[in-house]
Amino acid sequence: MLYSSLHNRSAKVSFREAVIRGLAPDKGLYYPDKISPLDKDIISGMATLSNEAISYHAISQFVEGEIPEAVLSEIISETLDFPFPLVEIAENIYSLELFHGPTMAFKDVGACFMARCLGYFKKGSATPKLTVLVATSGDTGGAVANGFLGVEGVEVVILFPSGRVSDIQERQLTTLEQNIKALEVKGTFDDCQAMVKKAFLDNDLKEEIQLTSANSINIARWLPQMFYYFFAYKQLLQLKNEDPLVVSVPSGNFGNICAGMVAHQLGLPIEHFIASTNINDTVPQYLETGIYEPKASVSTISNAMDVGDPSNFVRIRKLVNNDIHKLKTLFSSHSFTDKETKKAMKLLFKRYRYIADPHGCVGYLGLETYRKEHPETVGVFLETAHPVKFIDVVESTLKTKVTLPGQIAKLMNRKKKSILIRDYLGLKNFLLQSI
Ligand SMILES: *Cc1c(COP(=O)(O)O)cnc(C)c1O
């Protein structure tokens, strides 16, 4: 498979090169040249296939010829080392829980898959180590740290804004050691991200170290997210529920939902996608007005979706050849306030005894909005994080205690370790000295 830059000003590259580069030299996102539907028998027979077998079918054309079959199978089984249950909330409303992985957010799958692919590409190679540099506002850092822990030939440097990530998130970033380094930045998430961008453009660094990023623009983090949609469909087949399937995805950078739309191109029968957002509503506004107008992001209680200019939206536009009318037949988008989100959280708890995190609640709201007009459908919302990751807002909204799952409890007595940096020079010196 070859990948082209969506800016069309760089050469086509292989999967391997696209993963190592992250972004194309012309700063465009990579996009596969061709997406071929799967054999219909695979899709209709999914009820009896393992998650690993389904995922292998889904991803193999994108990796074709660049990772041997046996290695790819092993990467997939290491990535899918936990369950993805479809939980019934009410009649024809389900939550697909994506938070049973090591850091309890759905980003574990993409981070782990990407780490294993890079580990394979770097193994035994004579070139110097690869350094993954990533800025995090919370969930990405933990998933990346965990996914890359112990991967040979790869160093990971994570920048996080001091005092602005939750205690649990900070522990997930700072207690791992080995090839993972956490840098605590005196500043905001935007400052962290600006430093990362500057580092990628820094010629002194380019001479000394090979840098790449691990955010959702990387195809090895983006594409494996399509597995979730197959898992939802598989479980509905097992339940013999054949109503038209609609999926609501809590969206920030729109990588997850875009991967779902790739699954749809592979032939997965999803009738409609709902991109549910918080008040960062650039995409819902675009569908309404036809004008795409990026904005500065606004803080909300579903903070992993506080994005004013979603980086993967260009891939969605590419998927429908930039045809907004075609897009609207398959995709709608709704935005919700924090107040509405908390109200949904209370309703889910009181009426159905289900505790959802703020992101899942936004997904639920989008689903309800769409199903009011389309009641004949079966609706799935993606629950992208465990409620414990947002324990303060969940406990204060529901006036109940959330129990700490094992993955989190064991972090509580580990020692946090990070290096404080004040400005870009601090980052640059750290990279030059330590790597
Ligand atoms: C990252 C994240 C999202 C948003 O996913 P995108 O692919 O960026 O749209 C939603 N929920 C949680 C919990 C996240 O961590």
Side-chain angles (χ1 to χ4, degrees):
M1 173 74 71
L2 286 176
Y3 292 82
S4 299
S5 162
L6 287 178
H7 287 177
N8 282 320
R9 288 190 298 270
S10 300
K12 292 180 193 288
V13 297
S14 62
F15 177 76
R16 179 183 193 274
E17 197 170 339
V19 175
I20 291 176
R21 283 185 180 274
L23 205 61
D26 65 7
K27 307 271 178 291
L29 271 63
Y30 283 116
Y31 192 85
D33 270 1
K34 189 157 172 263
I35 301 176
S36 316
L38 300 181
D39 202 329
K40 286 206 169 60
D41 295 345
I42 295 175
I43 296 192
S44 59
M46 262 173 37
T48 55
L49 292 180
S50 66
N51 284 354
E52 287 82 355
I54 291 169
S55 303
Y56 189 92
H57 285 303
I59 200 96
S60 62
Q61 66 176 292
F62 298 98
V63 181
E64 194 193 283
E66 293 176 68
I67 299 180
E69 279 175 32
V71 177
L72 182 59
S73 293
E74 198 179 302
I75 290 175
I76 290 173
S77 56
E78 284 176 15
T79 302
L80 301 180
D81 190 21
F82 51 89
F84 299 84
L86 188 70
V87 176
E88 184 174 22
I89 305 295
E91 201 194 335
N92 265 358
I93 299 182
Y94 294 86
S95 163
L96 182 70
E97 294 184 347
L98 303 178
F99 59 69
H100 295 276
T103 73
M104 317 219 81
F106 83 98
K107 292 186 173 70
D108 279 327
V109 164
C112 187
F113 187 85
M114 178 182 167
R116 295 295 178 279
C117 288
L118 274 182
Y120 172 73
F121 293 142
K122 279 282 143 188
K123 203 165 162 185
S125 92
T127 51
K129 277 193 177 176
L130 186 65
T131 300
V132 170
L133 185 62
V134 65
T136 185
S137 59
D139 279 347
T140 299
V144 167
N146 187 80
F148 281 85
L149 183 66
V151 172
E152 240 179 88
V154 184
E155 289 288 323
V156 176
V157 177
I158 300 170
L159 276 73
F160 70 96
S162 181
R164 293 175 197 248
V165 300
S166 75
D167 177 56
I168 289 172
Q169 288 172 330
E170 186 169 339
R171 286 174 191 278
Q172 288 179 326
L173 294 176
T174 58
T175 59
L176 290 172
E177 307 200 13
Q178 296 186 51
N179 58 331
I180 313 294
K181 307 281 180 306
L183 302 185
E184 182 172 348
V185 176
K186 282 265 174 238
T188 63
F189 170 63
D190 291 334
D191 296 328
C192 296
Q193 207 155 28
M195 284 189 199
V196 168
K197 283 199 178 135
K198 204 162 170 184
F200 282 112
L201 298 172
D202 188 323
N203 287 324
D204 302 343
L205 287 177
K206 256 184 216 157
E207 278 171 25
E208 300 291 328
I209 53 182
Q210 194 180 7
L211 277 183
T212 194
S213 82
N215 54 25
S216 65
I217 56 145
N218 194 299
I219 54 165
R221 251 200 72 190
W222 168 53
L223 286 169
Q225 302 179 114
M226 68 180 155
F227 301 161
Y228 309 139
Y229 302 80
F230 286 92
F231 301 162
Y233 183 69
K234 166 184 163 173
Q235 292 177 76
L236 288 169
L237 277 182
Q238 289 171 339
L239 295 168
K240 304 210 168 6
N241 188 329
E242 286 171 18
D243 291 335
L245 170 58
V246 300
V247 183
S248 172
V249 187
S251 297
N253 262 320
F254 285 66
N256 193 2
I257 193 165
C258 185
M261 294 168 80
V262 174
H264 176 259
Q265 290 226 321
L266 293 178
L268 193 70
I270 295 181
E271 173 145 307
H272 202 81
F273 290 90
I274 303 138
S276 303
T277 73
N278 56 33
I279 51 164
N280 292 284
D281 63 353
T282 303
V283 172
Q285 283 299 325
Y286 166 69
L287 290 186
E288 222 170 283
T289 63
I291 301 164
Y292 184 87
E293 209 170 354
K295 306 176 197 171
S297 66
V298 181
S299 298
T300 72
I301 56 169
S302 48
N303 60 27
M305 311 198 294
D306 295 349
V307 182
D309 185 9
S311 49
N312 281 288
F313 197 63
V314 287
R315 285 180 167 142
I316 294 184
R317 291 165 99 174
K318 170 76 183 170
L319 243 142
V320 294
N321 295 320
N322 272 313
D323 180 342
I324 189 171
H325 303 290
K326 189 171 168 194
L327 180 63
K328 281 181 178 172
T329 60
L330 180 64
F331 176 101
S332 35
S333 191
H334 301 284
S335 114
F336 302 94
T337 63
D338 280 355
K339 200 171 159 198
E340 290 167 314
T341 306
K342 286 185 188 172
K343 207 171 146 199
M345 191 182 289
K346 283 186 199 151
L347 178 137
L348 282 167
F349 185 55
K350 293 225 168 77
R351 195 179 295 168
Y352 306 117
R353 307 312 289 173
Y354 190 74
I355 300 183
D357 96 291
H359 304 77
C361 292
V362 170
Y364 168 77
L365 284 167
L367 186 62
E368 285 290 84
T369 305
Y370 183 82
R371 285 191 77 251
K372 263 192 211 123
E373 313 267 306
H374 303 86
E376 73 296 350
T377 54
V378 51
V380 172
F381 66 93
L382 303 190
E383 174 46 316
T384 46
H386 192 290
V388 78
K389 292 204 79 171
F390 300 91
I391 195 160
D392 295 344
V393 55
V394 173
E395 289 189 341
S396 67
T397 304
L398 300 182
K399 315 248 177 324
T400 189
K401 284 270 161 214
V402 179
T403 40
L404 288 190
Q407 288 103 310
I408 303 294
K410 74 173 188 225
L411 292 174
M412 291 305 172
N413 45 28
R414 288 214 199 130
K415 212 171 143 45
K416 295 188 202 174
K417 201 171 154 190
S418 63
I419 297 154
L420 194 69
I421 57 166
R422 287 180 193 282
D423 49 22
Y424 179 68
L425 203 60
L427 171 64
K428 183 166 174 172
N429 287 336
F430 173 81
L431 290 171
L432 289 172
Q433 280 158 20
S434 73
I435 292 168

